[in-house]
Amino acid sequence: MGRRHRNPLTNPLDFATLQLRTGPPVTYAAAQRGLVSYDYVIIGAGAAGCVLASKISEDKDVSVLILEAGSDNTKVFETKVPLLFSKLFHTQHDWDYYTVEQPGLANRQLYWPRGKILGGSTSLNAMMYHHCSKSDFDEWASTYGCEGWNYDQLAPFLRAMERFTSHPGRPAIDPEHRGTLGQWHTGYSWLSEIVEKGFLPACHDAQIPAIADVNTCQGSLGVTRFQTFIDPKGQRSSLATAFLTPEVLARPNLYVACNSRVTRVLFDLITTKEPTAIGVEFQTSRDGQRFQVHARREVLLCGGAINTPQTLLLSGIGPADELRAHGIPVIQENNAVGRNLKDHLCTTPIICKAKDGATLDYLGNDIKAIPALARWLLTGGGPLSSNVGEAAAFIRSTDYRFPGTVNVPNDHTSGASAPDIEVIGAPLAFIHHGEEKAIENSSVFSIIPIGLRPQSHGTVTLKSRHAFDAPVIDPKYLSDESGNDRKVLLVGLRVCLKIMRSPALKKYFETVPVNDDPSSYWWPYSSSNIDNITDEQLLRFMDEKAFTLYHPVGSARMGPSPATSVVDLECRVHGVKGLRVMDASVFPEQISGHPTAPIAAMAAMLSEIIKERSAVATPLSANL
């Protein structure tokens, strides 16, 4: 491919040279002769793909191609303005996934937004910068056999990629724990008064201690103002804006192809003892031509917890019965592909009617939002630089006992200082993922409990053998036999009710008629009836209102044994050569917080592993 095709964001590749050849299986030798080739082909420009592409292409002697199903992020205004992220839901920049009906949640299908754009979900999520608990990663090594991936080994990569900016008046934290020279902008963004002077003191009233910095080896327990990946100009710092900068994209050895949907990985089944990944097949539209591109060294699959198992299955890697049912030849049987899916489930927020103007709901009115938009355009500041989840409390469910409550959860945290519940304080009505406005355009404060260590686990399976058909997503929410997931969320709901009754927060609320039905829109907050709410009422509320926090993991998990995992400890797919996976799908177990920063650090760490191995390895093409 000539230099004129460098970094082709809109017209990605010279498709005439890549047209699919029909006939017998493609051998490595045939691919070498007939396909456009790169050293590394990366599938997906999400969190991990962006980091890998940037890091690997630092070596000017290797070539890298990224194939991204979505479009260029730089032209999308809503990706830049932090508060507008939900405006991207159900658009061309969203995979717009839905789960199958969930028996544990009143047989509802739940919406799962996932980013289909450069940066992936880091271009449309809520920008929470979180390392999670040290014991989460130590557990990967000690319990799941993933040596080399504990916290002490990941921490240097977390620090190295971070460019933390402190501001006057923001929390004073120990700079020793923050990186300042990296590519990824982090810091503190907008904090609403109702969060600062209402929610944070209310958590203290509920005996939740303050913690200044949740991103240290100390862990997350306590209530904190959240650090974000929003830059000093008030704009989202996605992994695309951080790692695929104009300077990086100008590298002559890095190519980015948008609107290119990978349909399968190609394997040499003849000239090597094990199936060897030699490239990928892709399309630019559902009914368009298929094209192939060759990888001289490795294919790196970074599709995320949904698209990665789908791509593996479409490529012939997975449970043999499932592959045969769809007429897909079995390249490598692996019963762990698409299994062990875990997600963070929230109940619908405790919705409290606030005094007019106390929250950010007024920004839903185009006229009222004009001053805030002008302020953001001029200064990068103001309420539009809010990440919505402005503060959060991390707690352990086993620390709480409520009168009359018999559903006491078991401890499934990763360690003694790790949480299993997060409570987010959001200064707006985050109902149905922000799609539904508050009744009568009211001001609303949302208190959102999340179960962080689910015992329920589900599956990602194929609907058909066509890559453009969404896979079947079944998280099997609240299906654990012990019922512990429900018990944890019950504790979370009761802690939210306790926070809601604090005088510090109640002063921002309007008085509303007492309503004894917890499934109603407004949650009653008068002290006269909250103590009388039963577990059964809370469970009904949970079943009818719960939703995802957008953190699916584990569907191509890492581990030493192909009997229980998909990739080995260097993220190589078991039983094949030349194919690695890096994204949240490789998590051996769910972590107790927000996964974006860990994914980025893991990708940076894997890039070092790849560089070390490539320095001593012979390229596959040299064996022909």
Side-chain angles (χ1 to χ4, degrees):
M1 182 172 291
R3 286 283 186 260
R4 66 184 183 281
H5 297 295
R6 186 172 71 237
N7 309 324
L9 291 173
T10 54
N11 183 19
L13 299 169
D14 184 356
F15 294 131
T17 68
L18 304 176
Q19 187 171 356
L20 175 64
R21 292 165 176 79
T22 59
V26 177
T27 68
Y28 187 84
Q32 179 72 9
R33 289 192 300 270
L35 297 181
V36 171
S37 62
Y38 301 83
D39 290 306
Y40 297 94
V41 175
I42 299 175
I43 304 172
C50 290
V51 175
L52 284 169
S54 181
K55 294 292 186 181
I56 293 174
S57 64
E58 288 173 349
D59 181 350
K60 61 181 177 55
D61 293 325
V62 302
S63 58
V64 179
L65 169 68
I66 317 174
L67 294 170
E68 166 56 40
S71 59
D72 179 9
N73 65 308
T74 62
K75 305 289 196 300
V76 184
F77 181 71
E78 290 84 357
T79 68
K80 304 178 191 299
V81 187
L83 193 66
L84 298 186
F85 69 88
S86 66
K87 300 291 185 183
L88 295 165
F89 294 172
H90 304 297
T91 69
Q92 64 176 325
H93 308 299
D94 176 14
W95 286 97
D96 202 18
Y97 286 138
Y98 282 84
T99 70
V100 298
E101 291 182 354
Q102 296 298 292
L105 296 175
N107 292 317
R108 293 182 295 123
Q109 292 181 294
L110 273 65
Y111 165 55
W112 277 23
R114 310 301 301 159
K116 188 169 68 171
I117 187 173
L118 287 183
S121 293
T122 74
S123 290
L124 53 64
N125 62 10
M127 298 150 287
M128 315 282 260
Y129 182 72
H130 191 201
H131 290 186
C132 303
S133 298
K134 180 180 187 294
S135 57
D136 292 342
F137 308 100
D138 294 345
E139 178 188 55
W140 289 4
S142 62
T143 302
Y144 297 96
C146 295
E147 296 179 3
W149 295 92
N150 63 33
Y151 181 82
D152 288 341
Q153 287 159 312
L154 281 172
F157 295 94
L158 287 163
R159 302 286 182 262
M161 70 176 56
E162 181 184 10
R163 184 182 293 269
F164 180 81
T165 302
S166 59
H167 297 277
R170 307 292 165 88
I173 60 177
D174 187 346
E176 177 185 350
H177 298 298
R178 304 269 56 81
T180 58
L181 301 176
Q183 302 95 321
W184 196 17
H185 287 282
T186 66
Y188 291 98
S189 52
W190 176 263
L191 186 67
S192 301
E193 179 184 324
I194 192 172
V195 176
E196 180 180 11
K197 298 182 179 180
F199 178 75
L200 292 174
C203 288
H204 303 159
D205 291 345
Q207 288 76 55
I208 303 173
I211 180 171
D213 188 351
V214 294
N215 293 322
T216 75
C217 60
Q218 176 184 352
S220 305
L221 287 179
V223 62
T224 190
R225 176 180 180 175
F226 236 110
Q227 293 170 35
T228 69
F229 44 96
I230 297 172
D231 70 19
K233 297 180 180 179
Q235 297 187 24
R236 173 189 297 272
S237 181
S238 72
L239 272 304
T241 61
F243 285 90
L244 296 182
T245 62
E247 292 76 19
V248 171
L249 290 172
R251 293 172 184 167
N253 61 329
L254 175 61
Y255 300 76
V256 178
C258 291
N259 305 306
S260 301
R261 177 88 61 97
V262 170
T263 55
R264 62 178 174 137
V265 178
L266 303 172
F267 292 94
D268 176 7
L269 305 177
I270 299 176
T271 63
T272 57
K273 293 181 180 179
E274 289 182 296
T276 301
I278 58 172
V280 303
E281 174 187 280
F282 66 97
Q283 293 175 248
T284 58
S285 65
R286 185 183 186 96
D287 300 319
Q289 285 183 310
R290 294 185 182 184
F291 305 96
Q292 293 180 355
V293 65
H294 170 233
R296 287 189 292 268
R297 294 178 182 264
E298 289 186 306
V299 174
L300 308 176
L301 177 52
C302 306
I306 307 307
N307 294 77
T308 281
Q310 181 190 27
T311 301
L312 290 171
L313 291 165
L314 291 170
S315 304
I317 301 174
D321 290 346
E322 181 180 356
L323 298 176
R324 293 189 183 108
H326 292 285
I328 299 172
V330 179
I331 301 297
Q332 179 63 42
E333 183 174 8
N334 186 308
N335 290 324
V337 173
R339 274 47 177 180
N340 306 301
L341 176 70
K342 288 194 173 185
D343 185 36
H344 285 153
L345 183 68
C346 323
T347 67
T348 279
I350 303 292
I351 300 296
C352 307
K353 189 172 183 180
K355 294 178 180 178
D356 188 40
T359 69
L360 303 183
D361 290 296
Y362 72 93
L363 295 173
N365 181 299
D366 291 343
I367 301 299
K368 293 181 179 180
I370 289 176
L373 177 60
R375 179 177 178 181
W376 183 85
L377 290 170
L378 290 171
T379 70
L384 288 182
S385 63
S386 168
N387 72 323
V388 178
E390 295 181 357
F394 293 90
I395 59 176
R396 295 170 59 86
S397 63
T398 52
D399 288 345
Y400 292 85
R401 294 291 186 272
F402 293 97
T405 299
V406 297
N407 294 294
V408 179
N410 296 318
D411 184 0
H412 289 289
T413 61
S414 61
S417 60
D420 60 356
I421 295 174
E422 178 180 2
V423 177
I424 293 178
L428 47 70
F430 200 71
I431 307 167
H432 294 155
H433 309 278
E435 298 168 21
E436 181 179 332
K437 292 183 178 181
I439 289 177
E440 300 171 352
N441 295 319
S442 303
S443 291
V444 166
F445 189 77
S446 301
I447 310 176
I448 310 164
I450 304 116
L452 296 178
R453 294 282 292 180
Q455 299 307 293
S456 304
H457 52 87
T459 60
V460 177
T461 56
L462 292 179
K463 178 180 180 181
S464 79
R465 62 181 297 170
H466 301 291
F468 283 79
D469 289 340
V472 178
I473 303 169
D474 186 4
K476 294 181 170 60
Y477 287 125
L478 306 181
S479 65
D480 59 310
E481 292 183 2
S482 67
N484 204 71
D485 291 351
R486 289 182 184 275
K487 295 173 185 177
V488 169
L489 283 171
L490 276 172
V491 172
L493 281 168
R494 291 202 178 276
V495 171
C496 289
L497 293 173
K498 190 174 183 180
I499 292 169
M500 188 176 65
R501 285 195 294 180
S502 165
L505 193 53
K506 283 181 67 175
K507 69 183 181 181
Y508 289 95
F509 297 160
E510 288 187 357
T511 302
V512 297
V514 172
N515 185 338
D516 291 322
D517 180 8
S519 66
S520 65
Y521 186 91
W522 301 114
W523 196 287
Y525 62 79
S526 78
S527 58
S528 63
N529 73 337
I530 281 182
D531 292 334
N532 297 325
I533 295 174
T534 66
D535 283 358
E536 289 70 25
Q537 287 176 309
L538 290 171
L539 287 169
R540 178 159 59 92
F541 175 75
M542 186 187 310
D543 291 351
E544 295 176 356
K545 308 292 186 181
F547 65 101
T548 176
L549 195 66
Y550 327 123
H551 297 163
V553 305
S555 52
R557 73 197 302 191
M558 181 196 304
S561 170
T564 56
S565 63
V566 177
V567 301
D568 68 12
L569 306 192
E570 293 189 2
C571 299
R572 297 170 297 201
V573 175
H574 290 301
V576 303
K577 291 183 177 179
L579 177 61
R580 298 188 202 243
V581 174
M582 174 44 64
D583 52 47
S585 70
V586 305
F587 285 20
E589 179 57 273
Q590 182 60 280
I591 56 178
S592 58
H594 301 257
T596 305
I599 294 169
M602 291 172 70
M605 183 169 165
L606 181 61
S607 72
E608 293 301 311
I609 293 173
I610 291 172
K611 289 178 181 180
E612 290 172 5
R613 297 295 179 267
S614 65
V616 297
T618 302
L620 292 173
S621 57
N623 294 322
L624 291 177

